[in-house]
Amino acid sequence: MAGALEIDSVPPNVNGKVEILTDDLIPTAVVAEPLPKVITAAGGAPSESEDDDEGLEKPAKKSREIVLGRNVHTTCLAVTEPEANDEFTGDKDAYMAGVLARYRKTLLERTKHHLGYPYNLDFDYGALGQLQHFSINNLGDPFIESNYGVHSRQFEVGVLDWFARLWEIEKNEYWGYITNCGTEGNLHGILVGREVFPDGILYASRESHYSVFKAARMYRMDCEKVDTLISGEIDCSDLRVKLLANKDKPAILNVNIGTTVKGAVDDLDLVIQTLEECGFSHDRFYIHCDGALFGLMMPFVKRAPKVSFKKPIGSVSVSGHKFVGCPMPCGVQLTRMAHINVLSSNVEYLASRDATIMGSRNGHAPIFLWYTLNRKGYKGFQKEVQKCLRNAHYLKDRLRAAGISAMLNELSSTVVFERPRDEEFVRRWQLACEGNIAHVVVMPNVTIEKLDVFLNELVEKRSTWYQGDIQPPCIAADVGKDNCVCALHK
Amino acid sequence: MAGALEIDSVPPNVNGKVEILTDDLIPTAVVAEPLPKVITAAGGAPSESEDDDEGLEKPAKKSREIVLGRNVHTTCLAVTEPEANDEFTGDKDAYMAGVLARYRKTLLERTKHHLGYPYNLDFDYGALGQLQHFSINNLGDPFIESNYGVHSRQFEVGVLDWFARLWEIEKNEYWGYITNCGTEGNLHGILVGREVFPDGILYASRESHYSVFKAARMYRMDCEKVDTLISGEIDCSDLRVKLLANKDKPAILNVNIGTTVKGAVDDLDLVIQTLEECGFSHDRFYIHCDGALFGLMMPFVKRAPKVSFKKPIGSVSVSGHKFVGCPMPCGVQLTRMAHINVLSSNVEYLASRDATIMGSRNGHAPIFLWYTLNRKGYKGFQKEVQKCLRNAHYLKDRLRAAGISAMLNELSSTVVFERPRDEEFVRRWQLACEGNIAHVVVMPNVTIEKLDVFLNELVEKRSTWYQGDIQPPCIAADVGKDNCVCALHK
């Protein structure tokens, strides 16, 4: 049996005949067997399914069913085998251009109506379009060039140095890299913690990002979930109880610089104090700060717990596609040089010691970050943080004025409020929901005008949802009685 | 102490005065403390270091020292704080445009002189440039939409379906996703194997990619390194010995569909036969196929061991930036739906069950892949595979004709040969090296013309390297006596 796929013979004349390639040039002959079955739509034209997103202006659909492995198969854009005469007719090019143009329209609409995720959708990297022709790969360690020359390490290290200044660590004392996302930062930080303390126990508040618990499972670490306050911050009295119960083992802590749902900032200083009071000396704990979104906002907010390597922390991660804004997910991970050797292994293939998780790494992301950091500077970010906090307060105040339960943590731009009753409304505004609550994350691209459109729509919809006996939900359990204005608490 | 960074006060008048922002609009006031220290070059202009790569035409440099955390600091492009009047003068924009233009020139040169890594650098995604304005993120499971609307799942699933046809698994029987790179595919495949067999032992040949051994360490798995044949293939007689010594534990196997250095393809059928002969029934082993490069070439090569889910394998991964070509690293990971539930956890935040490793995922990569697969089709890839194999044979034949030790595995386009003596030459052509050997991976963008330039240069250089007593190295230990033409073996 010679290598080729034999799922089915190619249907004759369906999508251009698949010629048998003859080859008398090389000993390792290319297969002459039929190629995999080609895909065509019923009408003979390539199938393009309706994008789910385009249905938003239509009447509400049936409630979404989540069936693993099915939902998107029905709406996917199948890859089709080219016709023999495609280049002559241009049909395929025209078809693909049509798909892309419609997709772009969808993206524009979806970008416009987005409030729920902490992504700054306002960026213009037009000047970097020229680089899309290159396969830029920073494989391996950012500080050591590999033999592969098409990289962007010079940009990457510039960006890392900028964050090192922000988080107060000297150039020769840190190690770090640009990750693929906040999750990779958490995976890396927790892995470094585990390598430093192989028998350490991971402590994380139950409102930590799910990647933290994923890491514990991946790395086979014991993990203690710590309770949270109503704000979403870690409850240090519960942390104390759990630390004291495990005094014999080192502690690896995930500290949230902005939780996913409530934007709550764990009190780093109190966490360190609790560790010390429980008898953990600095050589018996490792703290990873998950600064996904707020890691880049906190330095510019008064009264915020300060994230700094002058404190006994081991690593900090932040997302690049969140506050900065980037076409694709990315992030920054910084740790102490002293910790990283435990993770490195010599890999001659790359002429590089590789302490990253991914090995091959997107070389475009550092250039996007470098570009924006250069243009905005610390001062530009300061202004944007100011705007976001101001707009978040505006949103919270207007929600409350309209009789809607809502909470905004002091240091946060994440406004938590009652989950809208209509799933279609949730999807239209792309709100992230959990139980009875939803949130809006006010990012630099979220203007007062956009918030007004949202608020007016929400108030109007609510008047249709809540009539007669149907009451808005009580969310006191999530946001506290003071922030709840349900029938019982108002 | 109020949130702000206080590394140093800003040097006066160095880089525009940092104004204190006043804020009487919001209760959570923005900091009024000094911002982090700004960076300027000695002359007052932003510092731009020479790109290391531009030095290639200069005389050979001193041999490279690998010092963790140092090498690139000296050549990095620092991020500088904008001047107060930047918008007016346009100086910063001009500076950045200059940096990018020079960088682009470097990339062009480096792309032209690239032979060592298995990346197809020949692609044109100009039609997709319009999408760079969007923050496309396929967070969570590809088959279940999250509430975040700016995604490309419809493209992603189309691509996955294409690979499912290639590897012979029905749509409703597979699960998969587009990864950030081949390493993520290996990390995922091996993790699935471990979740299926928590006490399983990982077996991988010692020529497997280093990410396989990284995974074993991350996941705290027992790992047996299996010997290889001179070709680089796994030695199934050694595998047998090691399997028999661990008969009481399930087996998790990494099978290489193209090793990193020699492009050797493990004999999947013989591996399965060995497992069976050692008494491992199909419910006591899990095979992950690392098809980084050749996973997409093998289906089109005669006599190649066939990768197919009709055989008892658990997962297959392949890189997207290698044979297909893509601006940034990416990959495809496919596994059986039956296996994936062990990895899933419900995460209401995303309205998505997340069995991926990364969570947030680059939504551009699937569109790049979709675009190329559509344009080339199975037939287009078949032609390119043919061309690569033909050109690889040309290279090997010419090397041998010039008296240079060289090896080319039958199913491979990776030509292994004696490591060039001059590190500068290695860097100029971006060859991947290990010990006494180097390799060229003949990809679709590597033409006969490019190979001729390389060969002529190599032959000329060798005449200066090997004079008098200095002899080319013996590489019989790496490629076998038959392929070695050193003084002893020729």
Side-chain angles (χ1 to χ4, degrees):
Chain A
M1 188 165 54
L5 284 159
E6 292 155 313
I7 302 172
D8 266 312
S9 60
V10 179
N13 300 322
V14 169
N15 196 9
K17 61 181 192 294
V18 174
E19 285 171 19
I20 303 307
L21 298 169
T22 57
D23 174 29
D24 45 17
L25 281 166
I26 53 163
T28 313
V30 166
V31 288
E33 281 79 358
L35 292 164
K37 188 163 70 174
V38 294
I39 294 295
T40 51
S47 73
E48 180 202 354
S49 316
E50 175 195 4
D51 184 332
D52 227 22
D53 293 323
E54 295 178 349
L56 282 170
E57 306 299 337
K58 297 174 190 168
K61 294 180 184 174
K62 65 183 183 309
S63 67
R64 298 165 65 212
E65 280 177 30
I66 292 187
V67 182
L68 192 61
R70 293 293 168 83
N71 294 38
V72 181
H73 265 308
T74 51
T75 58
C76 86
L77 296 162
V79 174
T80 60
E81 191 73 4
E83 303 271 347
N85 59 350
D86 264 345
E87 281 190 29
F88 178 72
T89 65
D91 283 354
K92 182 129 193 182
D93 280 347
Y95 158 72
M96 289 172 67
V99 168
L100 291 169
R102 280 191 295 282
Y103 178 58
R104 185 171 171 276
K105 224 176 113 194
T106 305
L107 292 179
L108 276 171
E109 190 279 331
R110 296 281 69 204
T111 295
K112 192 172 144 200
H113 289 104
H114 173 265
L115 288 177
Y117 292 79
Y119 308 146
N120 180 4
L121 305 186
D122 184 17
F123 51 75
D124 179 2
Y125 291 118
L128 305 181
Q130 53 178 330
L131 303 180
Q132 196 168 290
H133 297 289
F134 301 102
S135 184
I136 311 180
N137 188 339
N138 291 356
L139 63 172
D141 192 294
F143 296 98
I144 303 168
E145 284 198 40
S146 83
N147 283 351
Y148 182 61
V150 187
H151 67 80
S152 65
R153 280 176 173 73
Q154 61 274 50
F155 294 90
E156 182 174 23
V157 176
V159 170
L160 295 174
D161 283 349
W162 191 91
F163 279 93
R165 289 197 296 280
L166 191 70
W167 295 325
E168 304 188 312
I169 185 165
E170 295 295 325
K171 283 187 191 183
N172 59 353
E173 286 178 3
Y174 85 82
W175 181 92
Y177 72 105
I178 309 255
T179 60
N180 284 296
C181 56
T183 289
E184 187 176 352
N186 289 342
L187 290 181
H188 194 275
I190 294 168
L191 183 60
V192 171
R194 194 202 69 177
E195 295 293 295
V196 172
F197 297 120
D199 64 338
I201 292 176
L202 178 64
Y203 299 83
S205 90
R206 56 183 72 257
E207 299 199 31
S208 302
H209 190 255
Y210 70 92
S211 59
V212 172
F213 306 107
K214 181 156 72 177
R217 178 162 180 158
M218 277 171 69
Y219 301 150
R220 294 187 154 163
M221 298 169 75
D222 288 331
C223 178
E224 289 279 357
K225 276 194 189 181
V226 181
D227 288 341
T228 47
L229 307 175
I230 203 79
S231 66
E233 287 170 66
I234 191 167
D235 178 353
C236 280
S237 64
D238 189 52
L239 174 62
R240 178 185 305 269
V241 171
K242 284 171 174 151
L243 284 171
L244 290 174
N246 298 285
K247 276 194 69 168
D248 54 323
K249 297 239 177 116
I252 298 162
L253 287 97
N254 177 72
V255 168
N256 297 306
I257 311 301
T259 59
T260 315
V261 175
K262 295 179 182 173
V265 178
D266 291 346
D267 188 334
L268 175 60
D269 295 327
L270 188 56
V271 166
I272 293 170
Q273 189 189 320
T274 305
L275 279 160
E276 289 169 345
E277 287 171 4
C278 291
F280 285 80
S281 52
H282 287 198
D283 60 350
R284 288 194 60 243
F285 66 82
Y286 179 98
I287 294 176
H288 170 68
C289 296
D290 174 7
L293 167 61
F294 290 109
L296 195 43
M297 299 178 72
M298 285 304 97
F300 308 112
V301 179
K302 265 191 180 167
R303 290 185 299 282
K306 191 176 174 184
V307 173
S308 164
F309 279 93
K310 290 185 176 172
K311 300 178 181 178
I313 62 171
S315 48
V316 183
S317 61
V318 70
S319 296
H321 58 298
K322 291 183 178 165
F323 201 73
V324 181
C326 191
M328 70 282 293
C330 62
V332 173
Q333 164 72 356
L334 247 61
T335 183
R336 294 181 191 276
M337 182 81 80
H339 293 326
I340 208 61
N341 289 318
V342 294
L343 217 73
S344 300
S345 59
N346 245 307
V347 180
E348 192 179 13
Y349 177 66
L350 303 179
S352 196
R353 294 177 68 184
D354 188 13
T356 70
I357 290 198
M358 278 304 147
S360 274
R361 298 183 302 105
N362 180 355
H364 293 267
I367 308 175
F368 290 124
L369 297 180
W370 181 88
Y371 187 80
T372 298
L373 299 185
N374 256 307
R375 289 181 69 93
K376 295 189 177 171
Y378 297 106
K379 205 170 137 193
F381 284 110
Q382 190 181 47
K383 278 188 189 168
E384 292 201 330
V385 169
Q386 182 177 30
K387 190 178 104 176
C388 291
L389 295 178
R390 190 166 53 217
N391 290 354
H393 274 269
Y394 174 82
L395 171 59
K396 195 228 12 183
D397 292 344
R398 277 211 53 192
L399 284 167
R400 293 289 280 275
I404 301 170
S405 305
M407 175 177 90
L408 172 59
N409 276 315
E410 192 193 13
L411 309 171
S412 168
S413 70
T414 300
V415 179
V416 178
F417 59 102
E418 63 169 51
R419 183 181 192 146
R421 192 179 164 82
D422 178 7
E423 197 63 15
E424 199 56 35
F425 181 86
V426 167
R427 279 170 65 78
R428 170 165 160 77
W429 288 98
Q430 301 164 58
L431 305 176
C433 299
E434 193 172 83
N436 278 331
I437 56 173
H439 75 205
V440 162
V441 186
V442 178
M443 298 299 286
N445 65 314
V446 176
T447 59
I448 293 285
E449 293 68 37
K450 186 179 284 195
L451 290 174
D452 280 339
V453 174
F454 167 75
L455 283 158
N456 293 340
E457 224 175 90
L458 177 62
V459 169
E460 191 196 315
K461 290 277 185 186
R462 280 180 99 252
S463 70
T464 66
W465 299 335
Y466 301 120
Q467 293 176 331
D469 288 348
I470 304 172
Q471 294 285 330
C474 170
I475 61 169
D478 293 297
V479 299
K481 285 177 192 169
D482 292 347
N483 296 308
C484 186
V485 293
C486 74
L488 186 67
H489 293 111
K490 75 180 164 195
Chain B
M1 190 166 53
L5 285 162
E6 291 153 315
I7 300 172
D8 266 314
S9 61
V10 178
N13 300 320
V14 169
N15 195 9
K17 60 182 193 291
V18 173
E19 284 171 22
I20 303 307
L21 296 169
T22 58
D23 173 29
D24 44 16
L25 279 166
I26 53 160
T28 313
V30 164
V31 287
E33 280 81 356
L35 293 166
K37 189 166 68 171
V38 295
I39 295 294
T40 54
S47 73
E48 181 203 351
S49 317
E50 176 196 4
D51 187 332
D52 226 24
D53 293 324
E54 293 176 351
L56 283 169
E57 306 300 337
K58 298 175 192 167
K61 296 177 188 174
K62 63 184 186 304
S63 69
R64 299 166 63 213
E65 279 177 29
I66 291 188
V67 182
L68 193 61
R70 293 293 167 82
N71 295 39
V72 181
H73 265 307
T74 50
T75 58
C76 86
L77 296 161
V79 175
T80 59
E81 191 74 4
E83 303 272 345
N85 59 352
D86 264 347
E87 282 192 27
F88 177 70
T89 65
D91 283 355
K92 181 128 193 183
D93 279 348
Y95 158 71
M96 288 172 66
V99 169
L100 291 170
R102 280 190 295 280
Y103 178 58
R104 184 170 172 277
K105 224 175 113 194
T106 305
L107 292 180
L108 276 171
E109 190 279 330
R110 295 283 67 206
T111 295
K112 194 174 143 199
H113 289 106
H114 173 265
L115 287 177
Y117 292 80
Y119 309 146
N120 180 5
L121 304 186
D122 184 18
F123 50 75
D124 179 2
Y125 291 118
L128 305 180
Q130 52 177 331
L131 302 179
Q132 196 167 291
H133 298 289
F134 301 101
S135 183
I136 312 180
N137 187 339
N138 291 355
L139 63 174
D141 192 294
F143 297 98
I144 303 168
E145 283 199 39
S146 83
N147 284 349
Y148 182 61
V150 187
H151 67 80
S152 65
R153 280 177 173 72
Q154 61 276 48
F155 294 89
E156 183 174 22
V157 176
V159 170
L160 295 174
D161 284 350
W162 190 91
F163 280 94
R165 289 196 297 281
L166 191 69
W167 296 324
E168 304 188 313
I169 185 166
E170 295 296 324
K171 285 188 190 183
N172 59 354
E173 286 178 5
Y174 86 82
W175 182 92
Y177 72 106
I178 309 253
T179 60
N180 284 295
C181 56
T183 289
E184 187 176 352
N186 288 345
L187 290 181
H188 194 276
I190 293 168
L191 183 59
V192 171
R194 193 202 70 176
E195 295 293 295
V196 172
F197 297 120
D199 64 338
I201 292 175
L202 178 63
Y203 299 82
S205 90
R206 56 182 71 256
E207 299 200 30
S208 301
H209 189 255
Y210 70 93
S211 60
V212 171
F213 305 107
K214 180 155 74 176
R217 178 160 180 160
M218 279 172 66
Y219 300 151
R220 292 186 156 168
M221 299 169 74
D222 288 331
C223 178
E224 289 278 359
K225 275 195 189 180
V226 181
D227 288 341
T228 47
L229 308 174
I230 202 78
S231 66
E233 288 172 64
I234 191 167
D235 177 352
C236 281
S237 64
D238 188 52
L239 175 63
R240 178 186 307 269
V241 171
K242 284 171 176 151
L243 284 172
L244 289 173
N246 298 285
K247 275 194 70 169
D248 53 325
K249 297 242 177 109
I252 298 162
L253 286 98
N254 177 71
V255 168
N256 298 305
I257 310 303
T259 59
T260 316
V261 175
K262 296 181 182 172
V265 178
D266 291 346
D267 188 334
L268 175 60
D269 295 327
L270 188 56
V271 167
I272 293 170
Q273 189 190 323
T274 305
L275 279 160
E276 290 169 345
E277 287 172 2
C278 292
F280 286 81
S281 53
H282 286 199
D283 59 351
R284 289 194 59 244
F285 66 82
Y286 179 99
I287 294 176
H288 170 68
C289 297
D290 175 6
L293 166 62
F294 291 108
L296 195 44
M297 297 177 73
M298 285 304 96
F300 308 111
V301 179
K302 264 192 180 167
R303 288 185 301 281
K306 189 175 173 183
V307 173
S308 164
F309 279 95
K310 290 185 177 170
K311 301 178 180 178
I313 62 172
S315 46
V316 184
S317 60
V318 71
S319 296
H321 58 299
K322 291 183 178 164
F323 201 73
V324 181
C326 191
M328 70 279 296
C330 62
V332 172
Q333 164 71 357
L334 246 62
T335 182
R336 294 181 193 275
M337 182 81 80
H339 293 326
I340 208 60
N341 289 318
V342 293
L343 217 72
S344 301
S345 60
N346 244 306
V347 181
E348 192 179 11
Y349 177 68
L350 302 179
S352 197
R353 294 178 70 184
D354 189 12
T356 69
I357 290 197
M358 278 302 147
S360 274
R361 298 185 300 107
N362 180 356
H364 294 267
I367 308 175
F368 290 124
L369 297 181
W370 180 88
Y371 186 80
T372 299
L373 299 185
N374 256 307
R375 289 180 69 93
K376 295 189 176 168
Y378 297 106
K379 204 170 136 192
F381 285 109
Q382 190 181 49
K383 277 187 189 167
E384 293 201 330
V385 169
Q386 182 178 32
K387 190 178 103 177
C388 291
L389 295 179
R390 190 168 50 217
N391 291 354
H393 274 270
Y394 173 82
L395 172 60
K396 195 227 14 179
D397 292 344
R398 277 213 50 193
L399 283 167
R400 293 289 282 274
I404 301 169
S405 304
M407 175 178 90
L408 171 60
N409 274 314
E410 190 193 14
L411 309 170
S412 169
S413 69
T414 300
V415 179
V416 178
F417 59 102
E418 64 170 48
R419 184 180 192 148
R421 191 177 166 83
D422 178 7
E423 197 65 14
E424 200 54 38
F425 182 86
V426 167
R427 281 169 65 79
R428 169 164 160 80
W429 289 97
Q430 303 163 57
L431 305 176
C433 298
E434 195 174 82
N436 278 331
I437 55 173
H439 74 206
V440 161
V441 186
V442 178
M443 298 300 286
N445 64 315
V446 176
T447 58
I448 292 286
E449 292 69 35
K450 186 178 285 196
L451 290 174
D452 280 339
V453 174
F454 167 76
L455 283 158
N456 293 340
E457 223 174 272
L458 177 63
V459 168
E460 190 197 315
K461 290 277 185 186
R462 281 180 98 248
S463 70
T464 66
W465 301 334
Y466 302 119
Q467 294 176 332
D469 286 349
I470 304 171
Q471 294 285 329
C474 170
I475 61 170
D478 293 296
V479 300
K481 287 177 194 171
D482 292 347
N483 296 308
C484 186
V485 291
C486 74
L488 185 68
H489 294 111
K490 74 183 165 193

